[in-house]
Amino acid sequence: MSDYLWLNPFFIIYAVAVIFILGLLIGSFLNVCIYRIPLGQNIAISRSHCMKCGHVLKWYELIPLFSWLIQGGKCRSCKEKISIQYPIVELGNALSWMAILAIWGFRPVTILYCACASCMIVISIIDERTKEINLGLNLFIGLLGIARVVLDYRNWLYFVIGLFAVSIPFLIIVIVSKERAMGLGDVYLMAAAGLLLGWKHVLLATVIGCTLGSIIHLIRMKISKKGKELAFGPYLCLGIYLTILFGNPILKWYISFLVH
Ligand SMILES: [Zn+2]
């Protein structure tokens, strides 16, 4: 592709709009994953249907965001309320892609980070509900990590160290606490994320995730007035996502702080 095309503002606006719509559509698929994976259902087979009356959704009822708004959040057939989680996940996925695109631009690594963000939306919601992180979802991020090593093969050691930087200490915590403090799912998540981000970045993601996790968890316990078991995955995912966006400037600032 010629450089000229990338400098054309109309082409950029068009490309961003297409990626936003694709983000909504993939968000719609993430909703299917969030519902079906904990039930052990196949995510590819059988058309989407109302969970109450079994009404099979027509094509215009599958348009992300708008179908929910037009139908007023209800099934057209039985008027059962459709959770607001559906449009939120669709819009959230598209917006999370937009932020990554704004910072990383049109590069191969942007695709890996967007795929990781989408996968982490599914991981976070399922972990929050079931306190479990599906191995297949962690493996998916691991595959993105392998792609990152291939793309950035000159720095392969940075990513391979990342594979172990947080996962080994986490594994020790799991063994010592007998899976009370965290689960093996968190270990695999940080191994996969380490391969995708590299060791300094995955350490930063862990610091951000643990800090935000303890603050938000304390607030939530205050509000609900009961000790609730902590799902660690969503906070780790938040740390990973913020590191994807702001990791480079934060690490640069921190290292200049150490040197001076
Ligand atoms: Zn229905």
Side-chain angles (χ1 to χ4, degrees), residues 49-55 74-80:
H49 51 79
C50 170
M51 279 138 209
K52 183 145 184 253
C53 70
H55 167 66
K74 289 189 186 104
C75 169
R76 277 167 59 91
S77 172
C78 69
K79 307 289 171 212
E80 170 81 356

Side-chain angles (χ1 to χ4, degrees), residues 162-173:
L163 181 66
F164 303 106
V166 175
S167 60
I168 296 291
F170 270 27
L171 182 63
I172 293 168
I173 294 171

